[in-house]
Every structure is written in C-alpha cells, then in structure tokens.
Amino acid sequence: MAEPTAEPILEVRGLVKHYPLTQGIVIKRQIGAVKAVDGVDFDLGSGETLGIVGESGCGKSTVAKMLVNLERPTAGEIRYKGEDITRLSGRALKAVRRNIQMVFQDPYTSLNPRMTVGDIIGEPYEIHPEVAPKGSRRQKVQDLLDVVGLNPEYINRYPHQFSGGQRQRIGIARGLALRPEVIVADEPVSALDVSVQAQVVNLLERLQSEFRLSYVFIAHDLSIVRHISDRVGVMYLGRIVEVGSDAEIYEHPTHPYTQALLSAVPVPDPGAREHRERIILSGDVPSPANPPSGCRFRTRCWKARERCALEVPELAVPAEFRGLSGPAAHDSACHFAEEKHVVP
Amino acid sequence: MASTASPLSKEPTAPPAPLLLEVRDLHVEFRTRDGIAKAVNGVDYGVRAGETLAVLGESGSGKSVTAQAIMGILDVPPGRITSGEILFHGQDLLKLKEEERRRIRGSGMAMIFQDALSSLNPVLSVGDQLGEMFTVHRGMSRKDARAKAVELMDRVRIPAARERVTQYPHQFSGGMRQRIMIAMAMALEPSLIIADEPTTALDVTVQAQVMDLLAELQRELNMGLILITHDLGVVADVADTIAVMYAGRIVEKAPVHEIYKAPAHPYTKGLLESIPRLDQKGQDLYAIKGLPPNLLNIPPGCAFNPRCPMAQDICRTDVPPLAKVTYEGLTAERRSACHFWKETLRG
C-alpha cells in the first residue's frame, strides 16, 4: 500500500444531502426531508485508501454519489486539490469528473447489456476525447483489459458472456479508462462469491500501487474494509461517528456504535465463540427523516444519558484522550467515549 | 451436545440421538435450453435433534437445491430428482404423495428464506399469515389463530405485538420481517428447520440479533437446524457440523472446530485463506484461481481439479470418494473428498 502523503487530494467539509418529502399532487408542499447525509467531514490523502463502513441507510452511498457529482449536495464543500467542486459546471466540472471515477456495486446492472465490452470501457473516451484520440482507442481498451486481468481478445464480447467477477473487472477497467486519481468504489465486491471476492480485492490493491490511485472504499463488510483501508470512517444515520487508522478503529474503538458493530461481525474462528463478548443492539436504525435529537445513536446506546439527548457530540478526539498519544486518541463523536476491545 | 455426535457414523457414539433427517445419495438435474445442468450429484448428510448442520458453498454449489428437494418445493420441471432418498424420521419423503408431504411441511419441517419481503404476502396482514398456520394445519378458529399469532410475535421479540399483528409486511423493517419468517417457521413447533441464508440480506447488528434468536429457539425446542450459508463467519459462530459443497457434491464434512483448525480439502483450505479477517491485517489475500465450474459441463474426476494447486493426474480421471479422515485426537467422524486429504491436512 502506498504511503499517504501530507497533502489531501480530497477534503470534504460539512457535507449535507437532504431529499425533500412532499405532500399533495397539484400543490406540492415540502413536509420534511430525509436527511441522508447530515454533516460529514473527512480528508482523503493522495495514494491513501479511506474505508467508509456503515449499515444500510447510513448515507454512505449518498456520500459516494456526491463525491463523483452524481448528486448535488444540499450544503457543504468537496474540495479536490483545494478547489470546491460542488459548484462547478460546464467545462470545469467535466475536467474534475475525469479525475474522480466510480466503480459500482452490481456488475449485473451497471453494464449496458447491449454494448460490447470494448464500447463500455471505451465510452469514457467519447466524453473526454482528449485522453485518447479515435485511432488509439481500441489499443487502449485492450491494454485496460489486460491490466484488469481479462483476455484482450474479449473486446467484442457482451457482458452476459462474463461471470460476476469478470464483469466487476470490466467495471474497474471502465473506471480506470480516464486515468483518474481518485476512485470511489461503492460496495465493489459484495455481490461476488467468496473465492472471487479475493481476486477482485487483490486486483484493486495492485492497481492502486501501479497507478498511484486514492480510493474511497465504501462497504458494509468490516473485514474487507480493514483489509484494504489505511483509514476507516464509521457512519451512522448520516454522520461519521468515528474515524481513525485501521488499528485505531479495529483494535481501540471508543464509540459505542463502532464497538457494537465490530462485536457483531462473525469471526471465522469457532474457538472465539465461547469467550467473545457480543454487544447485541436493541431495536432498529431510526428513520433518517426524523433522527433523534442530540446524539443520533442514543436510542440504541446502552450508555445514553440525558446529555446525549441535548448536545450533539462533535467528531473530535474525546476530552478523556486529549493530549494523549496512544491509539485511543482519535476522532470519536461520543460524550462518553471509552476504549473497549471487541475484536478477538 | 450433539456436536460430538456425527451424522452418519455407523458405530455407536454417545449420546446416540437418532437421525432426524437423512439425505442419501441425492441427485438433482435441471433441464435447460443448453443441456442438462447437474445441480446435485450424490449428496449425503444427516442431522439430529438439537444439532446445527451448516451447509457451506458458493452460488451454484447445490446447497439450496438440496434444501428445496428436502422441503419438496423444487420446481419440477425443469428440476428432477433422478435418484436418492430423503429419510425424515425414517420415512422416505420422495415416496410420499403430495398431500402427505404438505402435512409434513409446516408441522414436521419448515424453511426460512433469505428474502423475507418476497416470501411474505404483501396484501395480507402478518397476523393473518401467521394465523393461517393454525387455521390450516390445526383447524383453529380465526380468533384463536389470531391470539396464537400475537403469542408467536411476542416469542420472537417483536415489540408491541398486539398492535402490530394487524400490520402488513412493508410496515416492518428487514430484521423484523425476518423475525416474522422465523415465527412462521416455528409456529407448529417442527422438529427440523432449514434456514437458507437467513441473515444474508440483513445488516450486521441485526444479523446478530436474528442469529441469536434462532439459536435460542432451537435450543428451547430441541430442533435440528440446517443452516445454508456462504459466510464462514456465521458458520463458525453457530454450527456443530459443517458440510462444504462444491459443484453439487459434499467435498468435506467435519465438526466445526476441526475444520477451522485444519481443513482436509484444498477447496475448504482456499476458502478459509481467501477471506479477509476482522482480527488480522494481512498481506495479499489468497485467491482461488479460476471460476466455479459450469454445471452443464462439470470437469471429469474431481470437479475442483482445474482450480486446485495440488491436482495430479489421478484428480483429472477419478472422482474422489468422500473418504473417512482419521488422525490422532479426532473423536467424531470426519470426511473429505480429496485423493490427497492427508497432504492437505498436513498443510
């Protein structure tokens, strides 16, 4: 894995996305909003992999869509090399989009079944002809197929002729076509079988060092995120609740949600089941249209007290750990942050 | 505990709980446009009361098709059971009439599916769907059935069961819907539950709740549980015995502790090495090369041979039997369908 450099390539500040809820057919009134993302901050270093984990509905995919400009944020900034890209349009937007590409989750629906593999991977060149002049495109596409471990002869085949893992490789080749610096991968391996998952994860790691890519890797599988990430952010109901290096998050989590999440992951070691402590959360995730006041996790938290309902905990090094240099001293949005080992 | 009893052992082991279900040499094919897909090619397994058997495999390994054959819900055609026996309390289910099987489904054995939303009827309230079990199988009145439904929902810990019994499936969250599926499966207290990827569609914190509930109810009712999954983590958490399937065959069968310590089949070994671990930060993941076989054209010999790092000539010609694995300290029965299980076991 490449050493992250000091200068972040992406800086996300106060990112918010609200989807309006309306009532009425003729006269539409807004009666509320689904607060899918509600104040997210993070940095992505050059050559770094930032993993974002969270359960369904926590807003992680909405963050991904905003990073690649498929959704416009309601508020907040996404700075790419210092420049806010959320308000760009026209040529400037096009130029930025070239550098931030996306790999999607489902290799079955994200490839057009009526286009050949060559057309799918070469399509980005239609939009950005400056990257590859017409004559050289076929060769470029074949090179890309080779890079992702597919036979370059397959250029005229259709997606249905490939297996799930191979299709995901096609999606990755398309993401690489414009030689981007940042790749946002939204659950890139969760639709694949275990034995094929490892192949694709290894491919992503190899490509990162080969092309000096920075990854935002979004997944719900905490084990894979740990494997691939340099830093990890944990999301709950539209916010990042804890962020730190992989060792800080997995070995020294201080936020109760992270602890519950980690303790719930089944570990492939039957010896662990007798002595492993499980934190079983009660209830379900509240609706993002009407999140709890104060700390959003308080309705399911075993530590919640009055203060949690009144004050929103900020994402910073908790007071208990401030000034300390140990691995527990990392950003955690909890009033009662406390280190706890949950991974065996 | 049943974990020490081995499903198919011939010699008496203690305690000798009788086999609840025994699948013998089951073969299932599907007629497709491109030819005959051999989905299940000679599966043997058994489960005792109180025991959890995990059937592990990737898509297309035949794990779900075997379960469908046991339940009698295989799509026929295109599917067809070509040979084999499915003994439930000693009775061959494949020889029964549809009417008799219907009676067993629900009261003798029940199934929990992966996707609760598509398994529940969207236009009936959950109370009606749960109550149906009692009106149809037990001939209860609607009023009594409704009371039973509330009781069941309480039992699977759905809050405010009395109010929610009139609600429809879409008004429940994913975890709650899966609880309703479990309640429905438990309704008539069957002796066997087949759970096909019961938590795959759920988030991890909810998955933990649901697996806990399932394990607790299993203990209470002393049911046999066949858990079909691809998740090696879930298996390690709950199973007593594991059967690993590949291309419609069982390639390895072992007590859970033994298999994670030392796999005796290269496929199992590859799977265990290819999963990233929460508790370790490793280097490159080991990746099993190639792809699972096409069921229309399964490789001769051992089906795993084109992907196997240990394959020799014999693997390309001779189908390895599910041979008995023995070593010092092994008390329960263990089997592996590899010509070189001794070498694999040594690592």
Side-chain angles (χ1 to χ4, degrees):
Chain A
M1 231 164 281
E3 271 303 303
T5 51
E7 183 65 20
I9 192 161
L10 274 185
E11 294 162 276
V12 173
R13 293 290 173 269
L15 198 62
V16 173
K17 179 72 194 180
H18 289 181
Y19 294 98
L21 288 171
T22 56
Q23 203 172 49
I25 296 160
V26 183
I27 307 154
K28 275 197 181 152
R29 288 176 300 136
Q30 189 175 339
I31 52 159
V34 173
K35 295 167 181 139
V37 175
D38 210 13
V40 160
D41 305 81
F42 63 82
D43 286 348
L44 176 70
S46 175
E48 181 187 50
T49 301
L50 173 72
I52 296 183
V53 290
E55 299 180 279
S56 22
C58 73
K60 56 192 193 299
S61 292
T62 309
V63 168
K65 284 183 196 152
M66 287 191 281
L67 291 178
V68 293
N69 248 301
L70 286 174
E71 289 278 6
R72 275 202 177 232
T74 310
E77 288 186 354
I78 300 169
R79 291 198 286 267
Y80 168 73
K81 292 186 172 166
E83 182 191 19
D84 183 12
I85 61 169
T86 58
R87 279 161 193 74
L88 294 180
S89 60
R91 192 173 299 177
L93 175 63
K94 207 169 140 184
V96 167
R97 275 189 162 155
R98 205 194 116 183
N99 289 317
I100 309 175
Q101 290 286 315
M102 184 146 177
V103 174
F104 295 92
Q105 168 174 5
D106 187 349
Y108 294 87
T109 56
S110 62
L111 303 177
N112 187 333
R114 305 180 67 151
M115 281 166 81
T116 65
V117 168
D119 291 339
I120 289 169
I121 299 173
E123 198 180 23
Y125 299 136
E126 303 286 329
I127 300 150
H128 299 272
E130 74 281 4
V131 183
K134 266 226 153 88
S136 71
R137 279 181 201 167
R138 198 180 161 82
Q139 186 55 47
K140 284 225 168 204
V141 169
Q142 289 191 322
D143 290 348
L144 281 166
L145 283 171
D146 191 42
V147 160
V148 297
L150 290 174
N151 187 341
E153 314 265 291
Y154 292 170
I155 187 161
N156 290 323
R157 294 199 180 182
Y158 288 88
H160 75 265
Q161 294 171 289
F162 294 89
S163 70
Q166 289 173 323
R167 280 185 232 206
Q168 199 53 297
R169 287 171 194 265
I170 295 167
I172 292 169
R174 175 176 59 187
L176 288 174
L178 298 173
R179 292 305 209 94
E181 293 177 88
V182 178
I183 289 208
V184 179
D186 188 4
E187 303 269 14
V189 296
S190 41
L192 307 177
D193 265 323
V194 189
S195 72
V196 179
Q197 235 176 32
Q199 295 172 357
V200 174
V201 167
N202 285 345
L203 171 68
L204 286 170
E205 289 190 309
R206 202 193 76 220
L207 295 173
Q208 177 168 45
S209 51
E210 212 169 307
F211 299 103
R212 272 200 68 71
L213 296 166
S214 310
Y215 286 146
V216 176
F217 190 95
I218 292 168
H220 68 280
D221 184 327
L222 288 113
S223 309
I224 288 180
V225 167
R226 168 155 211 194
H227 179 81
I228 202 165
S229 306
D230 303 306
R231 282 191 312 126
V232 178
V234 181
M235 280 189 78
Y236 185 77
L237 215 54
R239 279 182 193 225
I240 291 183
V241 295
E242 186 166 4
V243 62
S245 72
D246 78 88
E248 286 170 346
I249 298 295
Y250 286 84
E251 281 158 32
H252 308 274
T254 64
H255 196 286
Y257 177 62
T258 312
Q259 291 162 357
L261 202 58
L262 287 171
S263 83
V265 177
V267 172
D269 173 12
R273 70 176 162 194
E274 278 84 26
H275 58 260
R276 199 170 165 220
E277 191 198 341
R278 278 265 171 111
I279 305 166
I280 304 275
L281 291 178
S282 56
D284 284 306
V285 183
S287 159
N290 188 18
S293 67
C295 173
R296 298 181 170 210
F297 182 58
R298 70 177 164 85
T299 51
R300 299 173 79 196
C301 184
W302 63 97
K303 286 188 189 172
R305 281 184 249 168
E306 210 183 324
R307 184 177 166 199
C308 303
L310 303 171
E311 273 177 62
V312 178
E314 65 169 322
L315 183 63
V317 179
E320 300 84 315
F321 304 113
R322 220 162 279 159
L324 299 177
S325 59
H330 58 265
D331 290 356
S332 173
C334 177
H335 294 304
F336 304 103
E338 195 176 12
E339 204 182 331
K340 190 177 172 99
H341 293 274
V342 282
V343 175
Chain B
M1 254 309 265
S3 61
T4 49
S6 50
L8 289 177
S9 64
K10 300 285 179 282
E11 58 276 335
T13 43
L19 279 173
L20 195 59
L21 175 90
E22 195 180 353
V23 178
R24 283 191 193 155
D25 196 30
L26 187 72
H27 290 256
V28 182
E29 322 178 321
F30 285 86
R31 202 174 295 267
T32 72
R33 219 174 33 182
D34 305 316
I36 288 176
K38 298 197 157 154
V40 178
N41 305 301
V43 162
D44 292 276
Y45 62 59
V47 65
R48 294 168 197 277
E51 185 190 24
T52 301
L53 169 76
V55 181
L56 188 83
E58 298 182 281
S59 9
S61 62
K63 56 189 195 303
S64 296
V65 173
T66 309
Q68 286 167 1
I70 295 170
M71 278 300 285
I73 53 170
L74 197 69
D75 283 329
V76 183
R80 200 161 72 90
I81 296 172
T82 50
S83 63
E85 290 179 323
I86 299 171
L87 304 175
F88 183 60
H89 292 297
Q91 185 180 32
D92 188 357
L93 295 180
L94 298 177
K95 295 206 172 78
L96 294 183
K97 290 198 190 71
E98 182 50 35
E99 191 47 46
E100 294 168 306
R101 291 206 79 173
R102 199 200 309 275
R103 225 168 290 140
I104 290 173
R105 261 196 307 267
S107 57
M109 56 169 80
M111 190 154 172
I112 298 166
F113 299 90
Q114 171 174 353
D115 184 358
L117 187 58
S118 62
S119 316
L120 292 167
N121 188 337
V123 297
L124 287 179
S125 74
V126 298
D128 287 343
Q129 295 184 58
L130 285 168
E132 206 176 32
M133 299 296 290
F134 299 100
T135 51
V136 172
H137 283 273
R138 296 278 187 267
M140 281 188 188
S141 70
R142 282 182 56 104
K143 190 167 159 250
D144 291 348
R146 176 55 62 100
K148 276 280 191 189
V150 173
E151 199 179 292
L152 274 172
M153 284 169 73
D154 264 333
R155 195 158 183 196
V156 295
R157 289 187 230 119
I158 291 175
R162 200 164 296 279
E163 288 76 57
R164 302 205 73 175
V165 72
T166 54
Q167 293 187 339
Y168 292 84
H170 75 269
Q171 292 169 293
F172 290 80
S173 70
M176 287 296 158
R177 280 198 287 264
Q178 201 55 284
R179 281 162 198 266
I180 289 166
M181 287 294 292
I182 293 174
M184 203 176 284
M186 304 282 172
L188 305 176
E189 309 205 342
S191 48
L192 175 72
I193 294 262
I194 302 174
D196 190 355
E197 305 268 7
T199 58
T200 308
L202 305 176
D203 281 317
V204 291
T205 57
V206 181
Q207 174 179 329
Q209 295 170 357
V210 170
M211 282 315 298
D212 255 32
L213 174 70
L214 199 55
E216 191 188 306
L217 292 171
Q218 183 201 8
R219 242 186 339 263
E220 262 174 43
L221 301 174
N222 195 33
M223 292 179 305
L225 175 66
I226 299 177
L227 178 71
I228 296 167
T229 181
H230 68 276
D231 188 327
L232 285 149
V234 170
V235 171
D237 264 353
V238 299
D240 299 314
T241 312
I242 299 186
V244 182
M245 286 190 71
Y246 188 80
R249 271 210 176 85
I250 290 181
V251 294
E252 181 164 8
K253 189 157 56 184
V256 67
H257 287 275
E258 301 298 323
I259 209 166
Y260 283 81
K261 250 187 274 165
H265 194 283
Y267 176 62
T268 319
K269 190 165 184 273
L271 277 185
L272 282 168
E273 285 169 8
S274 68
I275 42 170
R277 300 277 301 245
L278 187 69
D279 48 353
Q280 287 159 19
K281 176 102 175 166
Q283 292 304 304
D284 253 14
L285 291 177
Y286 173 79
I288 301 175
K289 64 177 186 193
L291 300 169
N294 181 347
L295 297 176
L296 297 169
N297 187 15
I298 296 174
C302 170
F304 187 59
N305 86 68
R307 307 176 74 189
C308 182
M310 303 176 73
Q312 311 276 328
D313 285 344
I314 184 177
C315 306
R316 289 180 262 277
T317 52
D318 294 18
V319 177
L322 192 58
K324 203 159 181 175
V325 171
T326 49
Y327 50 87
E328 214 176 309
L330 180 73
T331 48
E333 192 190 75
R334 186 169 177 180
R335 288 175 178 269
S336 164
C338 176
H339 292 300
F340 300 100
W341 64 262
K342 279 189 189 125
E343 289 77 1
T344 313
L345 208 55
R346 253 181 257 131

